[in-house]
């Protein structure tokens, strides 16, 4: 990784996390699912799905490639079985669990109302995302936007905008960060008016940067919440190791 001369620093009211590729590296497990799915469907190209569909809802992908299988209940059941059938191919993104729990602890102990300032916005279904969180030992957040809760999946910003609204940070003057790994999710976060931390768990740094990420990192292991300002309702987050950061995040420590 390229080490910069100074840490990147940002101030936020709230943090929104994707799940697959951001909290858990589930690429191997998801890939195995698609390969298994394609075994009995000659019209489906698992390799092409794996290459192009990361960050999108499973239902939307199946509706495109195998419309006859696009039955909500069936897709939900299939997706919910992925951690059970292929969970051995998944692992936590370094630093992700610690960062989420840090946001949770600061929210509960430092803020005036003790309400969570973080949420999860995933293209995965509730059964799938819930099982990943259990694997990660992360408590399900109060604001948990899964595939069932949106009518338009990523790259549409509906999910991230809904999370902003639910947390009470709807206005453009509020500072919200989105943690994402996929171009579709980065586009969705940008569309919701957030700035983006792009994680290179699935794509290389240049692709993540070109997709629109404002800070590009390998993982979340170098992130630290340094403080919380009750007056401004902002967390100060310091990032010590990264590939790229916009100039605005390099102004002060």
């Amino acid at each position: 990784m390229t080490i910069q001369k100074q840490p990147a620093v940002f101030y936020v009211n709230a943090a929104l996390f994707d799940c697959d590729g951001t909290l858990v590296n589930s690429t191997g497990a998801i890939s195995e699912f698609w390969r298994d799915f394609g075994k009995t469907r000659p019209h489906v190209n698992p390799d092409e799905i794996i290459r192009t569909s990361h960050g999108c809802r499973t239902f939307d992908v199946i509706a495109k490639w195998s419309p006859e299988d696009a039955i909500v209940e069936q897709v939900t059941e299939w997706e919910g079985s992925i951690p059970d059938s292929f969970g051995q191919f998944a692992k936590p993104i370094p630093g992700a669990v610690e960062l989420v729990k840090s946001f949770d602890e600061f929210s509960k102990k430092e803020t005036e109302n003790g309400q969570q300032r973080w949420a999860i916005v995933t293209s995965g279904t509730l059964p799938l995302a819930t099982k990943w969180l259990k694997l990660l030992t992360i408590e399900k957040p109060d604001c948990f936007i899964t595939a069932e809760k949106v009518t338009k999946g990523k790259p549409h910003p509906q999910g991230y905008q809904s999370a902003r609204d639910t947390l009470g940070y709807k206005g453009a003057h509020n500072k919200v960060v989105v943690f994402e790994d996929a171009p579709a999710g980065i586009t969705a976060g940008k569309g919701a008016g957030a700035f983006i931390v792009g994680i290179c768990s699935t794509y290389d740094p240049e692709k993540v940067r070109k997709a629109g990420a404002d800070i590009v990192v390998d993982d979340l292991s170098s992130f630290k919440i340094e403080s919380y300002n009750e007056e401004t309702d902002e967390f100060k987050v310091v990032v010590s190791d990264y590939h790229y950061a916009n100039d605005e995040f390099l102004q002060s420590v």
Side-chain angles (χ1 to χ4, degrees):
M1 176 179 281
T2 301
I3 306 299
Q4 302 292 331
K5 293 182 179 179
Q6 66 183 93
V9 180
F10 60 86
Y11 298 83
V12 289
N13 302 115
L16 311 179
F17 294 88
D18 173 44
C19 186
D20 295 88
T22 297
L23 300 180
V24 58
N25 189 337
S26 57
T27 301
I30 300 298
S31 297
E32 289 302 314
F33 165 76
W34 286 121
R35 292 189 182 101
D36 188 67
F37 183 78
K39 286 178 181 177
T40 55
R41 297 168 178 82
H43 56 287
V44 170
N45 184 338
D47 291 334
E48 184 65 12
I49 290 177
I50 293 166
R51 188 182 72 81
T52 61
S53 69
H54 187 74
C56 300
R57 296 189 300 178
T58 302
F59 180 85
D60 294 338
V61 178
I62 289 179
K64 175 182 177 180
W65 284 89
S66 190
E68 65 273 20
D69 289 310
I71 302 168
V72 173
E73 295 79 9
Q74 180 64 75
V75 173
T76 299
E77 182 179 339
W78 284 337
E79 191 174 281
S81 71
I82 291 175
D84 301 320
S85 301
F86 308 109
Q88 68 270 29
F89 296 100
K91 57 184 178 181
I93 296 294
V97 174
E98 293 82 359
L99 183 59
V100 168
K101 290 185 177 181
S102 186
F103 267 109
D104 193 56
E105 185 175 356
F106 268 86
S107 296
K108 291 176 179 176
K109 295 183 178 180
E110 302 293 333
T111 67
E112 184 178 358
N113 59 16
Q115 293 181 354
Q116 289 178 339
R117 263 71 167 173
W118 66 280
I120 291 175
V121 181
T122 175
S123 296
T125 56
L126 181 61
L128 174 66
T130 299
K131 288 181 180 180
W132 286 144
L133 292 191
K134 185 176 180 180
L135 177 73
L136 296 169
T137 70
I138 293 175
E139 292 288 334
K140 186 168 69 173
D142 296 334
C143 181
F144 193 25
I145 308 295
T146 57
E148 300 92 338
K149 293 188 177 181
V150 298
T151 56
K152 298 178 180 179
K154 302 172 185 177
H156 196 280
Q158 184 183 63
Y160 281 120
Q161 189 61 60
S162 176
R164 287 192 69 149
D165 296 353
T166 300
L167 293 180
Y169 297 105
K170 179 178 182 179
H173 64 284
N174 293 308
K175 301 175 184 177
V176 176
V177 59
V178 161
F179 292 86
E180 264 285 359
D181 71 301
I186 292 171
T187 299
K190 284 285 187 181
F195 70 88
I196 312 296
V197 170
I199 297 114
C200 302
S201 60
T202 311
Y203 302 98
D204 63 70
E206 191 61 24
K207 186 175 182 67
V208 172
R209 180 181 177 184
K210 286 183 176 179
D214 299 288
I215 299 175
V216 179
V217 298
D218 278 337
D219 54 45
L220 301 178
S221 59
S222 71
F223 283 70
K224 180 183 179 182
I225 301 177
E226 190 169 279
S227 61
Y228 169 77
N229 187 321
E230 188 173 337
E231 185 176 337
T232 61
D233 188 26
E234 290 179 352
F235 300 92
K236 178 182 179 181
V237 183
V238 178
V239 188
S240 59
D241 197 3
Y242 53 92
H243 286 284
Y244 170 81
N246 287 349
D247 288 343
E248 65 186 284
F249 304 113
L250 301 175
Q251 301 304 310
S252 63
V253 178

